[in-house]
Amino acid sequence: MEKLLEVAGLKKYFPIRKGSLFSRETKYVRAVDDVSFDIHKGEVLGLVGESGSGKTTTGRLLVRLLKATEGDIVFEGKDTQAMTDAQFRPLRRDMQFIFQDPYSSLNPRLTVAHAIAEPIRLHGVATGKEVEERVGDLMNTVGLNPRMASRYPHEFSGGQRQRIGIARALALNPKLIIADEPVSALDVSIQAQVLNLLHRLRDEFGLSYLFIAHDLNVVQHLCERIAVMYLGKLVEVADRESLYAEPLHPYTQALTSAIPVPNPRAKRDRVLLKGEIPSPVNPPSGCHFHPRCQFATEQCRQVVPTLKKVNATRSVACHLY
Ligand code: SF4
């Protein structure tokens, strides 16, 4: 399969100042620290991790909602990091973002028609009557009645608002959609509907997704490959079947063991994580996961493991492999 996006050595460090007025010290939060992955045409890659793992920052760097500290982002063979904002702008049409919170991502003063039409007008894709027709088509595509186009966001349910967000993202016929936890703010019953919609749209328009989620349960039916992130680093990347059947990294093992099973009485070995994710300002030495890992050794406390290929379809960053 042809590559659509190639990310190599991506870093985002946020400076924070500490100390008094006279002795200021700058520290850095390594929100994204040397992350590399690719997405093929028509593929759905899941990016999974707890809050504070850096997954949302990674998504934002791809579409320049944030500027990278270092690293390469190549989209359809074009090095986007070497581009000025003006050079990047036409490419931005091909890479759209769906926000986590459908409640706050829509302007409450704009009707749905305006909200969906905004990117079409901004990029000069259509004018006049064509815009209206395009908005109606997009609403139909995401399962909303175009007669509701003159309503305001507060008149819609959470699931409907996320459909509006999806229609906005589709307005410019993108190739890649970065979906940042698009269902986590929704009721479980509505989550499945939105996931099914994203699945259908992928098939219909040949889209690729980077699907960001905080648990492996949500991504298991949509994503072909999954990348697991912990404290700014990728710890495992694998095809879906291998990852769920035989997770390699101890953190992935803990995440997969937390997935609810249909029969709650079925015997399963739950891997419990000790404590909370540490602060990214002072991450643990060596393997960042070592304070929570039951297999940690002295080597783990001192040496940072790098992401290494273990076979054709998977890579892991752990001294056990
Ligand atoms: Fe655990 Fe060591 Fe592997 Fe880190 S490198 S996950 S501490 S075994």
Side-chain angles (χ1 to χ4, degrees):
M1 247 198 297
E2 210 180 320
K3 281 182 188 171
L4 180 68
L5 178 82
E6 294 162 80
V7 175
L10 190 64
K11 294 181 182 173
K12 179 65 187 174
Y13 296 173
F14 292 103
I16 47 163
R17 298 207 197 303
K18 289 201 141 192
S20 68
L21 197 62
F22 302 104
S23 67
R24 286 250 157 153
E25 185 196 353
T26 305
K27 287 203 151 209
Y28 291 90
V29 175
R30 296 174 176 226
V32 176
D33 196 10
D34 202 7
V35 162
S36 304
F37 62 89
D38 42 41
I39 301 179
H40 298 97
K41 287 196 172 158
E43 185 186 41
V44 183
L45 175 72
L47 183 60
V48 176
E50 289 166 281
S51 329
S53 60
K55 55 195 191 306
T56 294
T57 305
T58 303
R60 288 177 173 247
L61 291 171
L62 302 183
V63 290
R64 281 211 193 173
L65 289 172
L66 285 170
K67 267 222 147 99
T69 307
E70 214 179 294
D72 297 325
I73 301 171
V74 177
F75 185 76
E76 290 197 307
K78 297 177 203 105
D79 176 4
T80 68
Q81 293 307 92
M83 292 178 182
T84 61
D85 286 346
Q87 288 168 328
F88 182 69
R89 200 160 178 261
L91 233 67
R92 183 67 176 80
R93 283 169 54 165
D94 293 334
M95 307 163 90
Q96 292 293 315
F97 203 92
I98 298 174
F99 292 89
Q100 177 180 3
D101 183 1
Y103 300 92
S104 61
S105 63
L106 293 167
N107 185 336
R109 288 187 293 269
L110 288 186
T111 63
V112 166
H114 269 94
I116 300 174
E118 201 178 32
I120 302 173
R121 291 207 174 95
L122 268 175
H123 285 265
V125 174
T127 48
K129 195 86 188 140
E130 281 170 7
V131 179
E132 233 171 87
E133 282 167 17
R134 178 95 181 110
V135 168
D137 289 348
L138 286 163
M139 290 185 75
N140 272 325
T141 302
V142 299
L144 290 171
N145 189 336
R147 289 205 194 132
M148 301 195 285
S150 57
R151 296 191 191 171
Y152 289 86
H154 72 268
E155 296 176 77
F156 291 86
S157 68
Q160 286 174 321
R161 280 186 252 203
Q162 196 51 291
R163 285 173 193 267
I164 298 166
I166 295 169
R168 245 177 91 94
L170 289 177
L172 298 171
N173 293 322
K175 294 174 182 165
L176 173 68
I177 289 190
I178 292 131
D180 183 15
E181 303 214 35
V183 297
S184 61
L186 304 175
D187 289 348
V188 176
S189 57
I190 309 295
Q191 285 187 359
Q193 293 173 15
V194 174
L195 289 171
N196 287 339
L197 170 66
L198 290 170
H199 208 291
R200 176 170 66 75
L201 295 174
R202 194 275 292 258
D203 294 345
E204 214 170 306
F205 299 107
L207 294 167
S208 305
Y209 294 128
L210 177 69
F211 191 96
I212 298 170
H214 63 261
D215 68 61
L216 282 168
N217 191 26
V218 169
V219 297
Q220 66 180 324
H221 300 298
L222 189 65
C223 303
E224 281 108 11
R225 270 191 316 136
I226 292 148
V228 180
M229 204 164 175
Y230 187 80
L231 266 188
K233 288 185 175 292
L234 289 184
V235 296
E236 184 161 1
V237 183
D239 64 288
R240 175 179 53 200
E241 285 70 27
S242 320
L243 189 110
Y244 287 93
E246 195 200 346
L248 296 182
H249 196 282
Y251 179 56
T252 320
Q253 288 168 2
L255 293 183
T256 47
S257 79
I259 297 173
V261 288
N263 176 6
R265 290 198 188 141
K267 193 175 173 315
R268 61 198 311 230
D269 297 322
R270 180 85 198 266
V271 182
L272 290 174
L273 281 174
K274 291 188 272 174
E276 297 291 316
I277 189 165
S279 159
V281 182
N282 279 315
S285 60
C287 171
H288 292 345
F289 187 61
H290 85 250
R292 303 172 84 186
C293 180
Q294 56 178 319
F295 307 108
T297 62
E298 198 45 41
Q299 182 194 18
C300 303
R301 284 182 263 280
Q302 296 192 13
V303 184
V304 181
T306 51
L307 193 70
K308 284 193 213 111
K309 250 190 173 343
V310 286
N311 64 35
T313 58
R314 61 193 311 186
S315 309
V316 63
C318 172
H319 296 309
L320 293 176
Y321 302 95

